[in-house]
């Protein structure tokens, strides 16, 4: 046998002997009075550490719940702000004025009668046709979505998709509601496609197709996009209608 191989064998045997000695020493470590106090302190510190970790986990969960509630509150406030802004921008120009009191105090001049001139009837504005949009999903709805549908998707990503989806719906139906003469060449081509995609079953419905997502948003129509649509179907925000080789996403 080569001397190098013999040295390696000896080194290996000595290493195993050393491990066996340490193992035998550790077997009796709990019986030595000098080490019992150390082991007790280690066990106590581990117990305290576990308690701290449990409290930290509880606090993290509480903060996540608060963050979700604040997100919902923010969305509610944004909707209320839009409604207030709309009301402020549409205050009637002529409001009824308070008539002066007919009772006058002796020694005072009677109030000057103010004649209120009725305003000329304004031309009736053209009423915009209502376009149905999707409502954002709530935290509770997202929590009830099966895990296999969510994958790594988040609550915020789904609501961002809903906003883009609504953008495409509004963009499409604004073109459909405009007079043909007011449309440019691109919009006229889109209008032709919109009408070709209509069927007897889509009358009165609001829907878009993949091409509308591409035309009116920056969203990529890929596997991830269609995975997010499955969540919207589960939450009853959209339903699919097929025909003429086209998949239509109908707003519920």
């Amino acid at each position: 046998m080569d001397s190098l191989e013999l040295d390696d064998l000896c080194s290996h045997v000595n290493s195993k002997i050393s491990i066996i000695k340490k193992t035998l020493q550790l077997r009796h470590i709990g019986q030595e009075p000098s080490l019992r106090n150390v082991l007790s302190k280690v066990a106590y510190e581990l117990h305290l550490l576990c308690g701290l970790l449990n409290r930290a986990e509880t606090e993290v969960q509480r903060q996540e719940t608060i963050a979700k509630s604040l997100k919902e509150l923010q969305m509610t406030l944004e909707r209320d702000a839009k409604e207030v802004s709309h009301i402020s921008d549409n205050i009637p120009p002529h409001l009824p004025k308070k008539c002066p009191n007919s009772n006058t105090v002796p020694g005072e001049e009677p109030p000057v009668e103010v004649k209120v001139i009725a305003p000329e009837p304004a031309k009736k504005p053209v009423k915009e046709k209502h376009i149905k949009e999707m409502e954002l999903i709530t935290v509770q709805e997202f929590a009830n979505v099966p895990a296999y549908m969510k994958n790594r998707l988040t609550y915020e990503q789904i609501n961002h998709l809903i906003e883009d989806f609504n953008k495409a719906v509004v963009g499409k139906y604004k073109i459909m509601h405009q007079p043909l003469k007011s449309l440019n060449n691109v919009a006229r081509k889109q209008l032709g496609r919109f009408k070709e995609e209509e069927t007897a079953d889509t009358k009165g419905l609001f829907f878009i197709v993949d091409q509308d997502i591409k035309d009116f948003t920056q969203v990529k129509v890929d596997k991830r996009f269609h995975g997010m649509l499955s969540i919207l179907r589960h939450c009853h925000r959209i339903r699919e209608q097929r025909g003429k080789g086209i998949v239509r996403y109908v707003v519920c």
Side-chain angles (χ1 to χ4, degrees):
M1 181 180 292
D2 192 359
S3 59
L4 291 176
E5 294 180 358
L6 183 59
D7 291 340
D8 291 340
L9 179 61
C10 291
S11 176
H12 178 72
V13 171
N14 289 333
S15 175
K16 293 296 183 181
I17 292 173
S18 176
I19 292 172
I20 293 172
K21 287 182 178 179
K22 289 179 180 179
T23 303
L24 292 174
Q25 291 174 356
L26 290 173
R27 286 180 60 186
H28 303 288
I29 190 170
Q31 300 176 1
E32 296 183 17
S34 61
L35 296 177
R36 286 181 181 177
N37 292 334
V38 176
L39 291 175
S40 297
K41 289 181 180 179
V42 170
Y44 177 72
E45 293 295 335
L46 287 174
H47 177 72
L48 292 179
L49 182 59
C50 289
L52 288 173
L53 290 174
N54 290 334
R55 287 197 293 272
E57 183 179 1
T58 302
E59 180 63 21
V60 168
Q61 293 175 351
R62 189 178 72 86
Q63 292 295 335
E64 288 178 348
T65 302
I66 292 174
K68 291 179 180 178
S69 300
L70 290 175
K71 185 67 176 179
E72 288 183 342
L73 179 60
Q74 179 186 1
M75 293 168 60
T76 302
L77 291 175
E78 288 176 353
R79 285 196 297 267
D80 291 345
K82 289 181 180 179
E83 292 179 1
V84 171
S85 177
H86 175 74
I87 293 172
S88 176
D89 294 339
N90 294 274
I91 295 176
H94 302 286
L95 295 176
K97 297 181 180 179
K98 184 178 180 182
C99 296
N101 190 356
S102 60
N103 298 324
T104 58
V105 179
E108 292 186 359
E109 295 183 0
V112 179
E113 183 179 356
V114 178
K115 293 183 179 180
V116 179
I117 301 174
E120 295 181 0
K123 293 182 180 179
K124 188 176 181 180
V126 179
K127 187 177 180 181
E128 292 187 359
K129 295 184 179 180
H130 172 71
I131 299 175
K132 187 175 182 180
E133 298 182 44
M134 236 190 297
E135 293 184 358
L136 300 176
I137 66 171
T138 64
V139 174
Q140 185 62 39
E141 285 179 306
F142 186 73
N144 291 333
V145 174
Y148 75 89
M149 285 188 182
K150 294 180 186 177
N151 199 3
R152 295 183 180 179
L153 297 172
T154 65
Y155 167 79
E156 289 78 11
Q157 288 173 330
I158 299 301
N159 276 334
H160 287 161
L161 177 63
I162 290 178
E163 292 173 352
D164 287 325
F165 194 100
N166 288 337
K167 181 179 178 182
V169 172
V170 172
K172 171 184 176 179
Y173 284 93
K174 276 188 175 181
I175 292 176
M176 295 188 70
H177 294 163
Q178 288 181 17
L180 183 62
K181 294 181 180 180
S182 65
L183 300 177
N184 57 29
N185 292 333
V186 175
R188 289 187 180 186
K189 290 181 180 179
Q190 288 177 320
L191 180 61
R193 175 173 64 81
F194 298 156
K195 292 183 177 180
E196 289 177 359
E197 293 166 353
E198 295 279 351
T199 66
D201 295 331
T202 62
K203 186 176 181 180
L205 302 178
F206 292 86
F207 71 90
I208 60 173
V209 299
D210 288 343
Q211 187 60 45
D212 298 322
I213 292 291
K214 297 175 183 178
D215 289 348
F216 296 102
T217 72
Q218 301 297 321
V219 177
K220 292 183 178 180
V221 180
D222 53 12
K223 183 178 179 181
R224 181 173 178 271
F225 167 76
H226 288 97
M228 297 171 79
L229 290 185
S230 65
I231 294 179
L232 298 184
R233 288 195 299 271
H234 176 81
C235 295
H236 304 291
R237 291 301 190 272
I238 63 170
R239 60 184 176 86
E240 290 186 0
Q241 189 181 93
R242 300 173 183 266
K244 297 182 180 180
I246 302 172
V247 180
R248 301 167 182 82
Y249 309 118
V250 182
V251 179
C252 295

